[in-house]
Amino acid sequence: MKPELSLLWKHSGKLGRRLPFALLASSLVVGCGQPAPETSEPSAPAAESSAQAVGPSGNLEAALNSVTDEDDAVPDRPVVESLFAIPQGTASKATAAVFELKLDAKRAQNEAFRGKTLTMLDGTQQLLFRDDGQGGDEVAGDLLFLASGTFDFVALQAEQERITQAQSQSQTQLTTAVFEGRELVRTVPVAALSTQFPVGQRVPIRPIGLATLVDPARSLIIRAPSVVGDPTRTWDPCTNVGNPNGKWTFNYLMTEMANQPFTGVAPSTFVREWVRQWEAAKTVNGFTTPPRTNIVTKLVNPWPKVGGALDLTKSPFKLVAIVNRLDLAGNNPAYGSGRAGEGRFIFAATEGTGTSCHTVPFLVILEYGVDKNDCMSIKTYAQQWQALSSMALGSATYNAALEALTEQFAKRDLSPRKPNRSSINQVRTNELWLGSPWELREFRLWNSTINPASFAAPGPALGLLNSHTVAQTPDRATKNTLFPSYVNGNVPAIVALPPTYTVPLAWSTGAFRGGRAVVTSTFASPSSPPFWSQPATTIPNRQARHVFSLNTCDGCHGDEIGTPFTHVSQTGALSPFLSGVLTVPDRADGSPTRTFNEVLGRQTFLDQVANQSCLTLSFLSSSAAVH
């Protein structure tokens, strides 16, 4: 994570640790200069490769090595119980106010902040919250922090009017959902506050998201044929209909990611070297990923060529979905997230010709960080996504508005501090087409600020997508050895809200994080518990076992919630996890029964970010579900 994005919370006892982007836009400083590259991880020369990136200037390596990528650190952050603004004058857009911030005394992780100071950035305003008995704080160490600053009470009034209007148009009581981790724990009634804020009155700043004002099919997971088959923006390899250079084609997106003017790597070479990684065994973090050589006969050989090179204008990948993952702006230790979450394209490979052509279970997910760096730009971005809910799905107006959104993360040169100057965080694949069992792989671009040990040996190549470890997922060989040791040794971080652990490359006596995730069975029963399970005598804290398992790639895509491997299939069908309420008894123990509603969580978050003060994000305690 970029240094300037880690400043929402700082406390004097741990100034050396960087807080994640869980609190979103209120952490961001307007006008910050580019930070120095992070150098906390070791570097190594790029691997020898026939496709090694070479820039026109002959000094590409120096240029690429000057950028930084998102890291995986997930330090602690406080869990907020309540926040009040006390106006010291007449309500205005910048009313002098005293702020009272109460941390939840029941959360063990808040003990690290007791008696300290916290700094919250709200746009350009820095609020210094004190629990040290100084600067107006009456009692040191009581987890009640005080700060002085200004607050926009006019915007708060407008939000109350919005709630009132929404309630008048609803036949039922408005509610907002509350999540702990990825579990839906309750919904609470929503009522508008009085729009009069007398001097000295404690006015609650509370997180409210009105999910009913967000249409998931138009603003979150977009699969309508009139969109993913838009002939001006997509190309269908089965019918040869569309625009081969359209803004939502595999050709355009990989060309922008390769960024040949900067890297010197031709897009066809960029894609061919990526595909080549299935053709031979890969050793990632000491674990072997077997080859799937069928990719040559099934994908490479049928792929039309120009002068022997892959013709990307005739790529055999069909767009299945465009996905808004603004919710990944919330804290998630499993995967990298952009400054405003992620934007994603999901493609399915195709085989056959003419009427026999069809999509196959080889999904490619392009996952981009959204490089926004101030409160207003992120709020505007959220508002643009929510505005899609009021447009006719697939209309010319809708598709143009959606393209304007995707171009904010898909086109080249949007992220100068990241490899290839691309906003891509990672490329993932889910497939059963090339072999069995189901397999998930992950690929990332590399520069010298990223630990090369997380890539396939002998080392990553600059400018190219390289095989990478699958985040938060150990290799299955560690199940009976390092896995229980790791969970037992990290219970507080795993069960924290949000979780603050990151599965390391190595743990205890050996390599830990795997180079792939596989799913051999997508369902479990009490007699056949999920893969990432051990009995209570081995892992006593059962919530820690569940959270860890659910946050692995193979747990979330399989037996921990009893769902098929893909959450969006090659036909665009959604898994039960993305289809509404999912109630699941604990797969290892039979109880407790947990309730998930992933889409409701994303609806709630989008409405909150688009319409409320950035300060409400300080309450965020859910770990965003990334699958």
Side-chain angles (χ1 to χ4, degrees):
M1 187 162 294
K2 315 297 189 297
E4 78 272 23
L5 301 181
S6 59
L7 300 177
L8 175 55
W9 293 110
K10 295 191 296 185
H11 74 96
S12 57
K14 294 186 179 181
L15 289 180
R17 302 189 71 189
R18 286 173 293 133
L19 280 299
F21 193 50
L23 307 181
L24 194 64
S26 51
S27 69
L28 305 177
V29 182
V30 176
C32 287
Q34 179 171 324
E38 298 180 49
T39 57
S40 59
E41 294 185 319
S43 61
E48 293 293 330
S49 169
S50 60
Q52 180 66 46
V54 178
S57 67
N59 196 29
L60 175 65
E61 182 169 353
L64 288 176
N65 287 348
S66 70
V67 298
T68 60
D69 196 13
E70 306 288 344
D71 65 30
D72 294 324
V74 186
D76 296 338
R77 50 158 286 234
V79 178
V80 175
E81 178 179 299
S82 63
L83 177 61
F84 291 88
I86 306 172
Q88 304 298 295
T90 303
S92 68
K93 295 185 67 64
T95 302
V98 173
F99 296 88
E100 292 181 355
L101 176 74
K102 181 68 174 177
L103 299 189
D104 188 345
K106 298 187 297 294
R107 301 297 184 186
Q109 68 205 77
N110 282 340
E111 289 303 312
F113 303 91
R114 190 182 292 276
K116 310 293 184 178
T117 62
L118 297 169
T119 300
M120 183 186 295
L121 302 183
D122 180 21
T124 59
Q125 176 185 212
Q126 178 172 284
L127 298 175
L128 178 63
F129 286 87
R130 311 189 72 108
D131 186 34
D132 58 1
Q134 301 180 41
D137 179 55
E138 295 182 359
V139 180
D142 62 354
L143 294 181
L144 179 62
F145 293 73
L146 267 73
S148 297
T150 63
F151 187 70
D152 187 349
F153 283 96
V154 172
L156 186 61
Q157 290 171 332
E159 173 62 9
Q160 307 319 303
E161 293 167 358
R162 188 181 79 98
I163 294 171
T164 298
Q165 181 180 10
Q167 182 62 76
S168 70
Q169 297 173 348
S170 175
Q171 296 181 350
T172 60
Q173 172 67 50
L174 290 180
T175 61
T176 191
V178 179
F179 291 80
E180 291 187 357
R182 298 158 85 168
E183 184 180 356
L184 173 64
V185 294
R186 62 186 179 276
T187 56
V188 296
V190 172
L193 300 172
S194 167
T195 56
Q196 302 301 312
F197 304 123
V199 173
Q201 174 182 294
R202 297 169 76 244
V203 179
I205 302 173
R206 51 188 185 161
I208 294 172
L210 303 179
T212 56
L213 301 184
V214 175
D215 180 1
R218 287 182 278 186
S219 293
L220 294 175
I221 307 171
I222 303 156
R223 301 168 295 130
S226 55
V227 180
V228 298
D230 179 353
T232 65
R233 295 174 174 88
T234 69
W235 185 75
D236 188 333
C238 286
T239 63
N240 293 323
V241 171
N243 177 3
N245 299 301
K247 293 297 179 65
W248 299 337
T249 62
F250 191 79
N251 171 35
Y252 172 79
L253 295 169
M254 297 304 274
T255 296
E256 295 298 284
M257 195 186 305
N259 199 358
Q260 185 173 5
F262 176 65
T263 65
V265 178
S268 58
T269 301
F270 183 82
V271 174
R272 183 64 184 94
E273 291 302 311
W274 166 64
V275 171
R276 199 182 302 281
Q277 293 175 74
W278 277 270
E279 297 176 22
K282 289 290 183 180
T283 299
V284 184
N285 196 30
F287 300 108
T288 299
T289 298
R292 295 199 171 194
T293 55
N294 280 343
I295 198 166
V296 175
T297 56
K298 288 192 168 191
L299 186 73
V300 177
N301 289 347
W303 196 320
K305 315 291 193 304
V306 175
L310 300 178
D311 183 356
L312 297 190
T313 66
K314 297 180 180 178
S315 299
F317 289 101
K318 183 178 181 179
L319 182 64
V320 172
I322 297 173
V323 182
N324 166 22
R325 296 306 310 270
L326 179 72
D327 62 295
L328 290 186
N331 176 47
N332 192 293
Y335 299 93
S337 63
R339 302 178 184 185
E342 287 186 344
R344 297 181 173 181
F345 292 90
I346 302 177
F347 289 89
T350 60
E351 69 176 350
T353 58
T355 57
S356 67
C357 183
H358 60 280
T359 55
V360 296
F362 186 147
L363 282 298
V364 180
I365 307 95
L366 311 182
E367 303 178 353
Y368 297 84
V370 183
D371 216 349
K372 306 292 181 181
N373 62 1
D374 67 87
C375 177
M376 187 51 64
S377 66
I378 294 173
K379 184 180 291 291
T380 299
Y381 177 74
Q383 290 168 346
Q384 290 168 347
W385 278 107
Q386 187 166 21
L388 296 178
S389 290
S390 62
M391 300 179 190
L393 186 61
S395 66
T397 299
Y398 177 95
N399 288 4
L402 180 58
E403 180 187 317
L405 278 160
T406 62
E407 281 292 274
Q408 293 180 51
F409 53 79
K411 68 180 180 180
R412 68 182 67 179
D413 296 324
L414 291 175
S415 298
R417 289 180 293 272
K418 293 178 68 174
N420 289 24
R421 299 175 60 92
S422 168
S423 295
I424 193 72
N425 281 344
Q426 57 275 322
V427 173
R428 291 197 179 91
T429 58
N430 299 348
E431 63 87 14
L432 185 64
W433 184 48
L434 302 177
S436 183
W438 274 104
E439 181 183 74
L440 184 148
R441 298 193 186 195
E442 182 172 320
F443 306 86
R444 297 193 186 190
L445 301 171
W446 180 77
N447 62 61
S448 65
T449 67
I450 306 171
N451 190 339
S454 60
F455 291 91
L462 287 168
L464 299 177
L465 286 168
N466 299 275
S467 294
H468 188 274
T469 54
V470 281
Q472 296 299 78
T473 307
D475 187 90
R476 289 195 161 203
T478 69
K479 176 183 177 179
N480 297 317
T481 54
L482 302 181
F483 159 60
S485 169
Y486 179 81
V487 174
N488 290 335
N490 292 274
V491 167
I494 294 171
V495 301
L497 292 174
T500 58
Y501 73 99
T502 298
V503 172
L505 288 173
W507 172 255
S508 183
T509 59
F512 191 40
R513 198 191 309 160
R516 65 171 182 158
V518 298
V519 174
T520 56
S521 174
T522 58
F523 297 96
S525 66
S527 61
S528 177
F531 182 84
W532 293 112
S533 181
Q534 293 284 3
T537 53
T538 303
I539 301 179
N541 192 303
R542 307 310 284 165
Q543 179 66 8
R545 182 218 66 80
H546 162 73
V547 172
F548 184 93
S549 178
L550 183 58
N551 281 336
T552 62
C553 299
D554 42 352
C556 185
H557 280 268
D559 49 21
E560 188 58 41
I561 51 176
T563 194
F565 186 65
T566 59
H567 288 298
V568 180
S569 77
Q570 70 266 26
T571 64
L574 299 180
S575 73
F577 189 67
L578 289 182
S579 299
V581 178
L582 176 65
T583 302
V584 184
D586 186 278
R587 289 293 189 174
D589 303 330
S591 65
T593 295
R594 299 180 178 90
T595 299
F596 303 94
N597 195 329
E598 172 67 10
V599 173
L600 177 65
R602 298 185 194 183
Q603 292 172 281
T604 301
F605 189 82
L606 175 57
D607 184 80
Q608 179 185 346
V609 175
N611 295 284
Q612 291 202 282
S613 164
C614 295
L615 297 181
T616 64
L617 275 298
S618 63
F619 289 85
L620 187 64
S621 63
S622 61
S623 176
V626 301
H627 301 287

